[in-house]
Amino acid sequence: MIGLIRDSSTIKVDDKIVTVKGWIQDIKNLGGISFITLRDKCGTIQITLPKKKVEENIFRNLVTLTRESTVIITGETKKSDQTALGLEIVPIDVKVCSRADTPLPMGIVDKVNVEMDTRLNNRFIDIRRPDVRSIFELRSIMMKSIVDVMTRNGFVQVHTPKIVGSGAEGGATLFKIDYFGRSAYLAQSPQLYKQMLMSTGLDRVFEISPAFRAEKSNTNRHVTEFISFDGELAWIDSQKDVMSVIEIVIDHVLKEVSEKGKKQLEILGKKIKIQSPPYPVLTYSECIEIINNLGVNLKDGDDFGTKEEKIIGDYMASKGKDLYFITEYPSASKPFYIMNKDDTSYSYSFDLDFKGQEISSGGQREHRFDRLVSRMKESELDPNDFVFYTNAFKYGMPPHGGWGIGIDRLLTKMLDLQNVRDGILFPRDVSRLSP
Ligand code: ATP
């Protein structure tokens, strides 16, 4: 028997006979009456079973079910001022779709703090929690907003190979694979390919794809497979053109997620702060000064680690800014494809940091063949391994620049998640290869 198909967000008392589908979250047997909390993807519905009014086999069938079993229940709606929806359902027909095993590997609504590892090992259960599921719904809203804003700004979505013969950043963080007896690698980023496209007339491209890093970094912001959102644009005057596009994109994403994800943000108890562009710009040298003023002893050329990023994050937060660029890093700390700043030891590079953490890096690229090849040699890379790439610079390459944004980190910072893994369905890291 089927009534009007309803879920917890659409059901009304006036529906009279409805069919609802979901998981048995809880069963309370009080002798003459039993209550079942049925959870669907939108919320919960109370199923009330007065023993005298419900058919015996339906009653038995339901009250002997285990938590998290899946059922389809048809019943009569009754007004109730005891429930959040203001109604309850008295069943007249039940279909048990599957009976859940016991005990459950982890609770869903229990207010106990479950370890991240247990949650990830049982991700299919973890995602039944409305707050966890909301993160992934918000992620989906974010991804759509990125595609929309990029497309609207004339960018073409592309896909480049993830099995490659050589990597952009050198050997240390490449995953080596056996490719029919030859050595190949999992792509660290689409860097070389998106740059090659700049010579083709496809002069504004973006890609959203997995990137792989064989980094043994056991932190809350590193995973070995992440989703990289890359953009590249030709005919730029300077890296500022690239930074302006990022501002347009991030601004749109924050607004769209706030607007379209209201329901999920409410579940998470979050409000996204929209910081209007332009985002503040600090040079690397200014950052060194800020950090050293706090008693740290950084030298020109030193890299910023978690601690330094956090110091700058706190400094910018005190000025009410969550998003800011850090520009002109030392050339020596940047990959070979970043353009040197004239005759200095700095580069036309930038990072975008969000609440004290790098979420993006980018810059103007070196488009002049000779300089590119010498930069490669300086980085101890063999230009012969990159001929497929450098050829694209030999026969007419416009000035260009671009960025890579870690989608997982953007989500983490936007929603103030504790760990980048919170926003990844099935994360991969140094110790995790399953589920
Ligand atoms: P970090 O210094 O924080 O390890 P990176 O300098 O290696 O980052 P890039 O190579 O510049 O990062 O990559 C661009 C963006 O890709 C980063 O800003 C970040 O958002 C994302 N990213 C890079 N590596 C990882 C990783 N291991 N896990 C998650 N995201 C990553």
Side-chain angles (χ1 to χ4, degrees), residues 169 173 188-189 211-213 215 217 219 221-230 303-304 309 334-335 337 350-352 357-362 403-410 420 424:
E169 328 277 332
T173 65
Q188 294 157 318
S189 86
F212 304 92
R213 302 279 167 104
E215 285 174 295
S217 307
T219 72
R221 63 202 184 111
H222 287 98
V223 279
T224 49
E225 175 179 344
F226 65 96
I227 299 296
S228 187
F229 159 37
D230 285 80
D303 237 350
F304 297 159
E309 282 183 12
K334 285 289 166 185
Y337 48 78
F350 64 80
D351 281 358
L352 176 69
Q357 188 173 110
E358 178 203 319
I359 60 159
S360 172
S361 63
W403 72 84
I405 294 179
I407 283 295
D408 315 286
R409 284 200 196 165
L410 171 60
V420 71
I424 302 176

Side-chain angles (χ1 to χ4, degrees), residues 202-429:
L202 279 176
D203 55 12
R204 288 187 149 216
V205 300
F206 75 105
E207 173 162 5
I208 303 174
S209 286
F212 304 92
R213 302 279 167 104
E215 285 174 295
K216 289 204 166 153
S217 307
N218 235 330
T219 72
N220 62 6
R221 63 202 184 111
H222 287 98
V223 279
T224 49
E225 175 179 344
F226 65 96
I227 299 296
S228 187
F229 159 37
D230 285 80
E232 201 72 22
L233 52 154
W235 306 111
I236 60 168
D237 289 329
S238 75
Q239 59 172 350
K240 288 200 187 102
D241 294 347
V242 182
M243 289 153 69
S244 301
V245 177
I246 292 190
E247 286 173 338
I248 293 171
V249 174
I250 300 289
D251 188 51
H252 180 75
V253 167
L254 297 183
K255 285 179 177 154
E256 280 289 291
V257 174
S258 295
E259 183 57 34
K260 306 251 161 70
K262 275 196 182 112
K263 198 179 73 194
Q264 291 84 352
L265 289 168
E266 208 178 293
I267 292 172
L268 286 171
K270 280 272 147 255
K271 195 169 173 355
I272 294 175
K273 192 173 116 194
I274 316 258
Q275 179 187 321
S276 301
Y279 301 153
V281 178
L282 296 167
T283 62
Y284 166 85
S285 306
E286 283 167 344
C287 288
I288 294 268
E289 215 176 299
I290 294 165
I291 295 166
N292 283 348
N293 280 344
L294 288 164
V296 185
N297 197 7
L298 277 190
K299 292 186 298 300
D300 189 36
D302 282 351
D303 237 350
F304 297 159
T306 316
K307 181 176 147 203
E308 290 76 23
E309 282 183 12
K310 180 156 183 330
I311 293 178
I312 300 293
D314 291 345
Y315 172 82
M316 293 309 285
S318 73
K319 300 189 175 307
K321 303 292 180 189
D322 288 342
L323 285 151
Y324 44 91
F325 288 105
I326 301 176
T327 58
E328 299 185 16
Y329 281 86
S331 302
S333 71
K334 285 289 166 185
F336 69 87
Y337 48 78
I338 291 282
M339 187 183 273
N340 271 345
K341 186 184 173 191
D342 309 319
D343 297 320
T344 71
S345 60
Y346 300 96
S347 61
Y348 286 126
S349 57
F350 64 80
D351 281 358
L352 176 69
D353 282 31
F354 195 2
K355 299 176 188 165
Q357 188 173 110
E358 178 203 319
I359 60 159
S360 172
S361 63
Q364 176 155 11
R365 319 304 189 187
E366 182 50 76
H367 63 278
R368 295 158 294 187
F369 177 82
D370 296 341
R371 294 190 192 207
L372 183 67
V373 171
S374 31
R375 284 277 288 149
M376 250 178 196
K377 288 181 185 156
E378 280 161 32
S379 307
E380 289 171 16
L381 292 170
D382 183 355
N384 292 325
D385 291 342
F386 293 89
V387 172
F388 72 95
Y389 162 72
T390 50
N391 268 347
F393 292 72
K394 257 186 174 170
Y395 306 102
M397 174 63 92
H400 63 277
W403 72 84
I405 294 179
I407 283 295
D408 315 286
R409 284 200 196 165
L410 171 60
L411 184 74
T412 306
K413 287 291 149 183
M414 183 169 65
L415 301 180
D416 298 317
L417 307 176
Q418 293 302 312
N419 193 317
V420 71
R421 291 163 186 77
D422 278 312
I424 302 176
L425 284 172
F426 300 106
R428 294 286 174 260
D429 61 29

Side-chain angles (χ1 to χ4, degrees), residues 91-138:
I92 47 181
D93 190 47
V94 173
K95 182 166 182 275
V96 176
C97 305
S98 81
R99 191 183 166 87
D101 216 343
T102 55
L104 292 168
M106 59 176 272
I108 285 133
V109 283
D110 313 324
K111 290 267 176 286
V112 276
N113 276 334
V114 186
E115 294 278 324
M116 178 61 106
D117 257 350
T118 310
R119 291 181 47 208
L120 293 178
N121 286 340
N122 300 286
R123 200 54 154 161
F124 65 96
I125 294 243
D126 187 44
I127 297 168
R128 291 182 194 182
R129 286 168 42 188
D131 54 340
V132 177
R133 204 170 50 243
S134 294
I135 294 172
F136 296 102
E137 288 169 354
L138 290 166

Side-chain angles (χ1 to χ4, degrees), residues 170-184:
T173 65
L174 282 170
F175 278 112
K176 197 170 179 180
I177 54 169
D178 173 38
Y179 194 69
F180 306 115
R182 275 196 287 164
S183 288

